[in-house]
């Protein structure tokens, strides 16, 4: 049975506990205890979370663990010397060490991210990179594992990290069963973007939402303004005005964002040639897709594919 330790501290964010559920359900689906989960804190006893809920914990000691996970807090605060020392000592006692959300700052303070690829919640990624320049922070990733060090983005990304661990330990089928029981997508790959073009557009009316949903389903087509207006049940002129008022963008720019998002996912999956990706996502040719990628990411599609392949080799 694999012993898993969750390091908690005052102000620990409750959402990070979602990852615990994945290990709990893995025990249920396996039909036997395969994970033994413990909550750990510097002093032991009750530890108050960011929402005021108190959780019982065991004090740090030299017990060996298979996996040690540091969650995040409601805000970034320096880790105590005791926590840093415990995390550093865990390198010798654990097969893998992980962080969820801003817990990456603790790993970084302990020196565990030096020279390694890592991620965190996109809100904190720039600060993490600036504060710890030896780390290689990739802010647009759900989770990353570079050798024995695992890091994830914030909030629900901890579930993706836990599912990836379960898959590594017990196989893809059991991880799929756990994901199904948790009613989550099985599973978002670590390389998937933290961002969503539809979320960033934030349309307010049902009509504009319908037009965007139509666009996402029909990216392989030209998607003209009259066509989108028809999906929204508005005249082209009314549609253009309403679209810009609700999203702050023109329909053409929004559609390009949706195309780029879909194309990037296909390219990172690596199953299709660049020309095929361009056609499938509605770019007239690979050069137009290249220009769109440069505008969005500052890199051409080929560079993003190389990075995805390099990351797969490391992981």
């Amino acid at each position: 049975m694999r012993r898993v330790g969750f390091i908690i501290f005052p102000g620990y964010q409750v959402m990070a506990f979602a990852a615990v559920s994945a290990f709990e359900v893995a025990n249920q689906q396996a039909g036997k205890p395969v994970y033994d989960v413990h909550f750990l804190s510097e002093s032991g006893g009750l530890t108050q979370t960011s929402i005021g809920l108190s959780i019982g914990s065991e004090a740090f000691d030299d017990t060996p663990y298979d996996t040690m996970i540091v969650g995040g807090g409601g805000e970034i605060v320096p880790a105590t010397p005791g926590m840093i020392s415990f995390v550093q000592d865990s390198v010798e006692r654990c097969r893998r060490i992980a962080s969820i959300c801003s817990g990456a700052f603790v790993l970084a303070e302990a020196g565990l991210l030096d020279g390694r690829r890592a991620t965190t919640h996109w809100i904190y990624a720039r600060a993490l990179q600036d504060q710890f320049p030896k780390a290689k922070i990739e802010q647009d990733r759900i989770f990353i594992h570079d050798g024995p060090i695992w890091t994830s983005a914030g909030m629900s990304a901890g579930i993706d990290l836990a599912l990836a661990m379960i898959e590594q330990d017990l196989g893809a089928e059991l991880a799929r069963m756990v994901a199904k029981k948790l009613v989550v997508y099985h599973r978002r790959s670590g390389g998937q973007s933290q961002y969503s073009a539809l979320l960033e557009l934030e349309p307010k009316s049902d009509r504009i939402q319908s037009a965007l949903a139509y666009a996402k389903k029909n990216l392989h087509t030209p998607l003209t303004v009259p066509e989108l207006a028809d999906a929204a049940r508005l005249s082209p002129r009314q549609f253009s005005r309403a679209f810009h008022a609700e999203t702050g963008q023109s329909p053409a720019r929004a559609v390009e964002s949706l195309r780029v998002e879909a194309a990037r996912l296909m390219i990172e999956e690596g199953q299709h040639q660049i020309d095929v990706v361009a056609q499938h996502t509605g770019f007239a040719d690979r050069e137009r897709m290249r220009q769109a990628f440069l505008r969005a990411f500052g890199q051409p599609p080929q560079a993003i594919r190389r990075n995805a392949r390099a990351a797969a080799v490391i992981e």
Side-chain angles (χ1 to χ4, degrees), residues 208-288:
I208 302 303
Q209 288 177 6
S210 296
L212 286 169
Y214 175 86
K216 191 168 184 179
K217 290 180 181 179
N218 295 277
L219 291 177
H220 60 286
T221 68
L223 291 174
T224 63
V225 168
E227 184 179 0
L228 294 173
D230 185 63
R233 299 185 189 137
L234 293 168
S235 72
R237 186 175 181 180
Q238 288 175 320
F239 172 74
S240 295
R241 287 180 175 176
F243 192 95
H244 194 278
E246 292 190 25
T247 69
Q249 297 185 22
S250 69
R253 183 175 178 183
V255 167
E256 180 175 289
S257 296
L258 293 174
R259 294 192 199 281
V260 165
E261 183 175 71
R264 175 176 175 170
L265 181 58
M266 290 182 68
I267 286 168
E268 289 182 333
E269 289 174 344
Q271 299 178 0
H272 304 284
Q273 297 296 322
I274 298 294
D275 288 335
V276 173
V277 174
Q279 293 174 2
H280 185 80
T281 54
F283 290 102
D285 52 54
R286 63 186 296 160
E287 178 56 26
R288 291 192 182 183

Side-chain angles (χ1 to χ4, degrees), residues 108-174:
E109 283 192 62
L112 273 59
L113 301 188
D114 289 357
R116 294 188 183 276
R117 297 169 56 245
T119 193
T120 186
H121 194 297
W122 62 269
I123 288 176
Y124 305 127
R126 180 66 62 85
L128 183 62
Q129 184 67 85
D130 291 345
Q131 191 172 340
F132 301 99
K134 292 183 180 179
K136 302 174 182 177
I137 306 304
E138 300 182 19
Q139 67 177 16
D140 195 17
R141 290 293 181 269
I142 297 297
F143 68 85
I144 291 174
H145 69 93
D146 188 340
I149 307 301
W150 297 56
T151 54
S152 82
M155 304 302 179
S156 62
I159 298 175
D160 299 287
L161 179 140
L163 286 171
M165 289 180 169
I166 292 167
E167 182 171 321
Q168 183 185 72
D169 296 342
L170 304 171
E173 180 57 25
L174 189 94

